[in-house]
Amino acid sequence: MVAAQVLTSKHPLANDGELIVVVDDDTGAARLVTAEQRVARVYAAHGQWPHKRVNLFIFETLQPLIDQLKRASKALGESEAIALAAAAVLESKPMVQVYNLADLSECSIFVNRAQMMRLGMWKDDAIVEALLAREHAQPLSENATTRVARALGAVIIDPAAGNGAAIPSGGGPVQQALEHLAHELCLHAPQQVFANEFAVRAGFGDALFALNRLSLTGGRAGLVTRATLKDRLDTEIAAGRQTEDGAAMLLLLASIEAHARVALETSAFARAGNLDDARALEDLLWMEALSKTESEAGTVYRQLYGSYLALRPQMNEEQMLAWATTSFAPIMIAITGYGARLTASFHY
């Protein structure tokens, strides 16, 4: 197999900055360059553009970044399971930004062309702009709350194990799903909510609305994936490898991950004062997904929405710990109806 040729080009960016573009296929790359230049101009006009150089890597997949991650994980002595889990998350991302908070003069954006095409994003200029605006908003919206949230950890406790033993990472599927939700919907949530709000306030509300609308329509709301999971779990029940309650819990947690996480988006619109857009997206969420799945998923969505509205940019460690515990409680309450006796504990 012949390796793809890598092409590099340079382009001007806001505030006398420089955009370095590296591609394995330059078809369509010009549109991303134009979108990146516009995003930089808008943020610079708001006095929020610290980058002197942006590296834009447009590849068929994010495998080059995944390979870097695996090498870094190995060098740090992290387990292979952690590296593989992170790689699996990256594979599903259309775009990822890598930056150093200690030095924002340079950052890198990795674009997953195949995934963007698969999701119907590649040829939509508004969607491309929204993705770039949201990625860049993450370091630009950094505050005291995101910093303390980043230091927070979570463990799932199984009282039946004796002495309130924590279930190690890589435990059963329910525990793994809960650990993932704790990170996505609590520990990483402040960064996502503040970044989304920042992008909306900067003027990217229409583009972000289009991106969120796309993710909820055309069969993208996650119901097909849920049906596939249900078929697999039914097979495991029939083979005696899974209980009905255990399967129901996994289905519920999958629904929460797919649908309740939309609160990260709707709450950001509301926080930025775009209440009509927040309500329109919520109506679409209910029509496309929440009305067709477990009622508990809708309950968790509403409670997370309220928790995200309550976030403040200057929360300290004690406040963040209380916020995370309260925010995750609805998920733990939801699974008790299926026989779960697990608890979640957050810590520094």
Side-chain angles (χ1 to χ4, degrees):
M1 181 177 178
V2 179
Q5 182 181 6
V6 175
L7 305 173
T8 303
S9 60
K10 297 181 180 181
H11 308 268
L13 209 56
N15 292 351
D16 297 321
E18 186 176 47
L19 174 64
I20 307 298
V21 181
V22 182
V23 303
D24 58 5
D25 181 345
D26 62 1
T27 304
R31 292 186 301 102
L32 273 79
V33 170
T34 299
E36 172 66 16
Q37 289 174 321
R38 168 170 157 69
V39 169
R41 285 197 304 271
V42 171
Y43 281 139
H46 284 75
Q48 296 286 347
W49 189 255
H51 311 305
K52 295 301 181 184
R53 171 171 167 160
V54 174
N55 305 304
L56 182 62
F57 297 93
I58 308 173
F59 294 149
E60 181 67 12
T61 69
L62 294 185
Q63 194 58 48
L65 178 59
I66 291 171
D67 290 342
Q68 287 184 33
L69 174 67
K70 289 180 177 178
R71 288 193 294 270
S73 296
K74 186 176 182 179
L76 292 171
E78 294 179 346
S79 72
E80 184 178 358
I82 293 176
L84 291 174
V89 172
L90 283 178
E91 287 174 350
S92 68
K93 300 286 188 182
M95 193 178 293
V96 174
Q97 182 183 191
V98 177
Y99 56 88
N100 179 2
L101 282 172
D103 181 9
L104 290 177
S105 62
E106 183 174 357
C107 70
S108 297
I109 299 279
F110 291 81
V111 177
N112 185 338
R113 183 172 59 249
Q115 183 68 348
M116 289 187 68
M117 288 182 175
R118 190 175 301 115
L119 297 173
M121 297 175 171
W122 179 251
K123 295 183 178 181
D124 191 316
D125 291 344
I127 300 300
V128 170
E129 181 178 290
L131 289 169
L132 288 167
R134 188 162 66 178
E135 289 301 318
H136 280 304
Q138 292 187 26
L140 304 183
S141 60
E142 186 76 6
N143 56 42
T145 299
T146 59
R147 286 190 288 273
V148 297
R150 191 174 290 113
L152 197 60
V155 292
I156 305 303
I157 305 298
D158 181 6
N163 299 319
I167 297 170
S169 179
V174 171
Q175 290 83 6
Q176 289 180 30
L178 286 169
E179 186 178 79
H180 176 71
L181 288 175
H183 283 82
E184 291 297 306
L185 301 182
C186 288
L187 307 187
H188 296 166
Q191 182 184 46
Q192 295 300 318
V193 172
F194 285 119
N196 289 337
E197 179 188 359
F198 184 90
V200 173
R201 290 186 183 278
F204 296 106
D206 289 346
L208 285 171
F209 183 87
L211 173 60
N212 282 286
R213 182 176 178 81
L214 177 69
S215 70
L216 291 171
T217 55
R220 300 179 184 87
L223 294 179
V224 174
T225 302
R226 184 185 186 281
T228 301
L229 174 60
K230 186 178 187 306
D231 289 342
R232 180 169 65 80
L233 290 171
D234 285 345
T235 299
E236 292 187 359
I237 291 173
R241 295 190 298 268
Q242 180 61 267
T243 65
E244 291 188 3
D245 279 345
M249 271 193 285
L250 288 171
L251 281 172
L252 172 59
L253 293 175
S255 295
I256 289 172
E257 179 179 6
H259 312 316
R261 68 179 301 111
V262 179
L264 295 165
E265 314 293 334
T266 53
S267 64
F269 279 100
R271 291 174 62 92
N274 292 28
L275 294 176
D276 289 343
D277 285 346
R279 293 192 189 100
L281 284 177
E282 186 172 288
D283 289 344
L284 187 60
L285 171 65
W286 281 93
M287 180 176 67
E288 294 288 338
L290 289 178
S291 63
K292 303 172 184 178
T293 189
E294 300 95 337
S295 62
E296 294 96 332
T299 299
V300 170
Y301 163 80
R302 290 191 183 282
Q303 292 177 312
L304 283 175
Y305 178 84
S307 289
Y308 297 156
L309 289 182
L311 281 169
R312 295 294 177 264
Q314 298 298 323
M315 295 170 71
N316 59 32
E317 290 188 354
E318 183 179 356
Q319 291 168 329
M320 190 66 232
L321 182 61
W323 178 89
T325 302
T326 301
S327 298
F328 199 64
I331 296 174
M332 301 305 294
I333 291 171
I335 63 172
T336 59
Y338 299 86
R341 295 297 179 265
L342 307 173
T343 62
S345 175
F346 293 88
H347 62 88
Y348 285 101

